[in-house]
Amino acid sequence: MTESDHVCEEAVFEGLFRQLGQGLQNFLYYKTGNLKQAEDLSQEAWLRLWKACAKVTPAKAKSFLFTVANNLFLDEAKHRQVVLKYAQENPVPIAGQESPQYQLEETEFYQQLQSAIGALPEKSRVVFLMNRIDKLPYREIAERLGISQKAVEKRMSKALVELRKLTQSI
Amino acid sequence: MEPKQHPDLADETLLARWLSGELTEVERQEVERHPHYKDWVRLVQATDQMKAPAYASEDAWNKLQKARTETKKEGPVLQLRSWMAWAAVIFVAALSLYLLWPSENSVLQTGIGDQIVEQLPDGSTVRLNAESQLSYTIKGTNEKRLLNLKGEAYFEVAAGSEFVVDTELGMVEVLGTAFNVFAREDDFWVNCLEGQVAVRAKVDEQVNISAGESAYLLPNGRLARRSNQALADPVWWTGQTQFKEASLTDVLEEFSRQYPYEIVYDQLPNKKYTGPLPHNDREAAIQLLRSAMGLSFTILDDKTIRVNLGAE
C-alpha cells in the first residue's frame, strides 16, 4: 500500500467524507429517529476513522465506518424508544382534481405510515429507508451493513409486509 | 435450519425483487395477483416521496475539521518546568495510556476463505471463520470482557471474570471454557465443547448448555437446546466444515464464504446434506456436492457459479 491511497492522506479522507457523509448520517437517523443524535454519532464515527486511519485501508473504510457507527449507537441508545419523524417532500398529492375528502385521507395515511415506520423492527426499517429514501441498491446496502444481498432483500420484503399490517391495523 | 416464511409469500425476497424490477414474468404475475398488491403499490409510492432531513455537507465537514483539530490539541499543553511537573505529566500520560489504550475497540476481521487465530489480551484464544468480524474491549481477566461478533467464531476462554459474546441475534455468556458461535443473517447457534455457557436470544430467555450440547434460534425467536455430540463439535478450523442434515442453502452460503464466488440458482432440491465441505479445494468441494446432491455446477466467470438440478 502506498502512502497516497492511505486513509490518513487528507485527500483520501475528505473524498470518503464527501462520498459517505450523508449516507452514514442518514443510516444513524433511520436507527435513532433523532437528527441531533445522528449528527453527533456520525461525527464521532468519522473521528474514530481518522484516529485509526493508519490501520484502515480505503477499501475497508466503508465497513469500518458503518460498524463503528453501529457500535456507538448500541452503546448509547440501548433502551431508548425510537420515535421517527420523516420530512416529506410532498405529503399530499397535488391539489386540484382530488376532493378534500381524498386529501384528508391521504394526510391521515401519511401520518399512519410515519408511525408504522417508527414501529418497524430496527433492522428492517434501516434497510427499507436506505433503499426508499437514499435510493441505494441492495448490493450497496449489503456492503455497508456487512450482510449478504439476500439478507437485505429479506429485510426489505419483510418491511413491506409489516408496514402493510401496521397501516391496516391503525 | 428451517427457513422463515411469511404467511402469504413463499419467497422471502420476492417483494424486494419486485421493487427493484428483477422479477421473472411468472413471479411478477404472482405479485400482481396478490390480494395485498394495491396496498404495496400505495406504500411504495408514498415512501418514494419521503426524504431524510436536509444534509449540509459543507457544514458537517467544517464541524468535523474543527473536532479534528481539537482532538489534536488534546496533548500535553501544560507548560511546567520543574522535573516534578514533568514526572507528573509522564505519570498521567502513562496512567491514561494504561486506562485508555486497552479500552480502545479492537477489531478482527476475515474475508472470504480466510481464517485467523488470535490470542486476546486476557489470554483467551479465538478462531475466526471466513467472512466474520469480532470487535472487543478487553482489559484483562479481572474485568468484564465484552465481545461483539458477526459471523462465526470459536472461543477458548481463559479463567477470569465475565466473558460475554454479543451478536445481533443473541448473547452468549461464558460459565465455562470452550464454545463455538454462529451468528449470520437470521441463523444463530452455539455449541458448547467444554464447561458451560448461557445463551440468551433477544427475547428474555436463557438456555444453559454444557459440553456436547448446542442451542439454536428457532424461527419464532425462542431458543432450543439439542444434545448431539456430532453437531456440537464444529471442526471448521481443520480445513473443512462438517454438515449434518443441513439445508442446501446453508451449505451453498458457506461455500460462498470459503470461495470467492456468488452462487446463483433457480431451484434447489429439498434435500439435506450430511458431509464435509473442504475449504481449500474448490474442485473437491464441488465434486462432493455434485455426487451427494445430484447437482451440476457451471463456473460462469471468475465471480459466479451456476447450480442446476441434475447431473451434467
Side-chain angles (χ1 to χ4, degrees):
Chain A
M1 188 169 45
T2 62
E3 187 62 27
S4 63
D5 60 10
H6 210 282
V7 177
C8 294
E9 193 68 23
E10 190 57 28
V12 176
F13 185 79
E14 185 171 350
L16 284 166
F17 185 83
R18 301 285 177 201
Q19 185 201 335
L20 297 169
Q22 177 164 19
L24 185 72
Q25 183 175 310
N26 285 356
F27 162 74
L28 285 159
Y29 178 66
Y30 303 148
K31 280 178 117 51
T32 60
N34 178 321
L35 183 58
K36 180 74 181 61
Q37 204 186 347
E39 282 173 0
D40 292 348
L41 292 178
S42 67
Q43 166 146 328
E44 184 57 31
W46 283 104
L47 280 176
R48 296 274 175 102
L49 173 66
W50 182 63
K51 282 185 199 161
C53 68
K55 292 182 280 182
V56 183
T57 61
K60 288 260 166 79
K62 195 193 291 180
S63 79
F64 179 95
L65 277 169
F66 282 86
T67 305
V68 166
N70 191 38
N71 288 346
L72 290 168
F73 161 76
L74 290 175
D75 288 349
E76 194 171 285
K78 275 234 154 103
H79 303 291
R80 227 177 271 181
Q81 179 81 37
V82 176
V83 182
L84 290 154
K85 273 221 154 80
Y86 299 98
Q88 259 141 31
E89 194 179 14
N90 189 4
V92 182
I94 306 99
Q97 312 94 308
E98 326 289 4
S99 69
Q101 173 63 26
Y102 176 81
Q103 289 184 25
L104 186 67
E105 277 172 14
E106 281 299 288
T107 314
E108 268 174 21
F109 175 69
Y110 276 104
Q111 281 164 357
Q112 286 177 1
L113 181 57
Q114 287 200 348
S115 46
I117 289 175
L120 279 180
E122 181 206 307
K123 288 198 278 180
S124 308
R125 177 176 64 236
V126 169
V127 164
F128 186 72
L129 295 178
M130 283 173 96
N131 174 262
R132 301 318 299 157
I133 298 184
D134 294 349
K135 314 289 180 207
L136 295 172
Y138 302 149
R139 179 163 292 278
E140 175 66 25
I141 298 173
E143 219 176 275
R144 291 187 180 192
L145 303 189
I147 58 179
S148 72
Q149 182 170 343
K150 197 172 142 212
V152 170
E153 291 175 359
K154 281 189 197 174
R155 291 181 193 183
M156 273 304 288
S157 307
K158 194 175 162 209
L160 207 51
V161 169
E162 288 296 315
L163 275 184
R164 189 193 154 274
K165 274 189 213 152
L166 289 162
T167 46
Q168 299 283 314
S169 64
I170 296 170
Chain B
M1 208 145 299
E2 291 285 309
K4 265 187 260 177
Q5 294 194 341
H6 297 301
D8 42 6
L9 285 173
D11 183 334
E12 296 168 276
T13 63
L14 192 68
L15 284 179
R17 291 183 294 112
W18 164 63
L19 264 174
S20 57
E22 291 169 75
L23 295 188
T24 63
E25 188 55 30
V26 177
E27 288 174 324
R28 198 175 56 78
Q29 285 176 8
E30 185 192 339
V31 172
E32 287 178 2
R33 284 192 196 130
H34 197 279
H36 299 161
Y37 177 66
K38 278 195 177 144
D39 297 330
W40 294 329
V41 171
R42 191 180 190 201
L43 284 166
V44 169
Q45 285 171 348
T47 49
D48 252 346
Q49 300 181 3
M50 288 188 156
K51 285 208 152 183
Y55 178 75
S57 177
E58 216 44 52
D59 291 355
W61 175 248
N62 291 337
K63 246 172 100 183
L64 177 62
Q65 292 298 77
K66 193 159 162 267
R68 285 168 72 190
T69 32
E70 275 163 12
T71 322
K72 267 185 198 160
K73 277 182 199 149
E74 263 174 20
V77 279
L78 291 173
Q79 293 191 338
L80 300 172
R81 284 187 191 96
S82 77
W83 67 270
M84 277 171 78
W86 278 112
V89 171
I90 291 165
F91 175 71
V92 170
L95 185 68
S96 46
L97 196 66
Y98 170 74
L99 292 174
L100 297 175
W101 172 260
S103 67
E104 192 85 351
N105 225 354
S106 308
V107 181
L108 298 175
Q109 210 166 0
T110 50
I112 292 171
D114 290 345
Q115 284 182 7
I116 51 172
V117 185
E118 187 92 9
Q119 183 142 46
L120 302 175
D122 64 335
S124 302
T125 311
V126 58
R127 287 170 187 274
L128 207 53
N129 202 352
E131 284 272 87
S132 301
Q133 186 179 324
L134 181 75
S135 59
Y136 57 89
T137 310
I138 291 179
K139 294 186 182 182
T141 45
N142 296 327
E143 283 176 66
K144 182 174 174 176
R145 296 164 284 179
L146 184 65
L147 305 91
N148 208 297
L149 172 72
K150 257 189 208 169
E152 182 169 23
Y154 169 73
F155 298 89
E156 280 177 18
V157 181
S161 69
E162 245 182 309
F163 188 100
V164 178
V165 180
D166 197 8
T167 74
E168 283 206 336
L169 299 160
M171 202 180 244
V172 187
E173 196 182 317
V174 177
L175 312 168
T177 48
F179 61 103
N180 188 69
V181 183
F182 183 101
R184 299 183 192 274
E185 293 160 24
D186 296 333
D187 291 343
F188 175 61
W189 45 267
V190 180
N191 307 330
C192 182
L193 285 83
E194 277 175 52
Q196 249 203 340
V197 288
V199 184
R200 267 195 301 270
K202 295 293 171 191
V203 251
D204 273 336
E205 179 189 29
Q206 178 171 326
V207 170
N208 289 351
I209 52 172
S210 341
E213 292 183 319
S214 54
Y216 56 99
L217 189 64
L218 297 169
N220 66 7
R222 306 196 70 104
L223 286 167
R225 181 165 58 179
R226 185 149 44 173
S227 172
N228 185 331
Q229 189 57 52
L231 244 176
D233 214 5
V235 287
W236 49 262
W237 52 85
T238 60
Q240 56 179 37
T241 302
Q242 194 66 40
F243 286 102
K244 191 167 170 18
E245 293 283 299
S247 82
L248 266 181
T249 356
D250 289 344
V251 177
L252 293 177
E253 275 173 15
E254 186 64 33
F255 186 99
S256 289
R257 288 191 283 268
Q258 301 296 346
Y259 302 102
Y261 289 91
E262 192 183 349
I263 309 255
V264 293
Y265 50 80
D266 295 324
Q267 208 192 337
L268 288 175
N270 193 15
K271 288 193 215 165
K272 300 282 182 194
Y273 179 67
T274 299
L277 180 82
H279 295 166
N280 304 316
D281 188 343
R282 190 191 70 201
E283 281 314 307
I286 288 179
Q287 188 53 47
L288 269 167
L289 294 177
R290 189 192 319 231
S291 52
M293 308 310 293
L295 297 171
S296 68
F297 289 72
T298 319
I299 298 179
L300 296 180
D301 51 50
D302 58 358
K303 288 198 288 284
T304 327
I305 294 180
R306 170 153 207 95
V307 176
N308 286 317
L309 294 178
E312 275 118 43

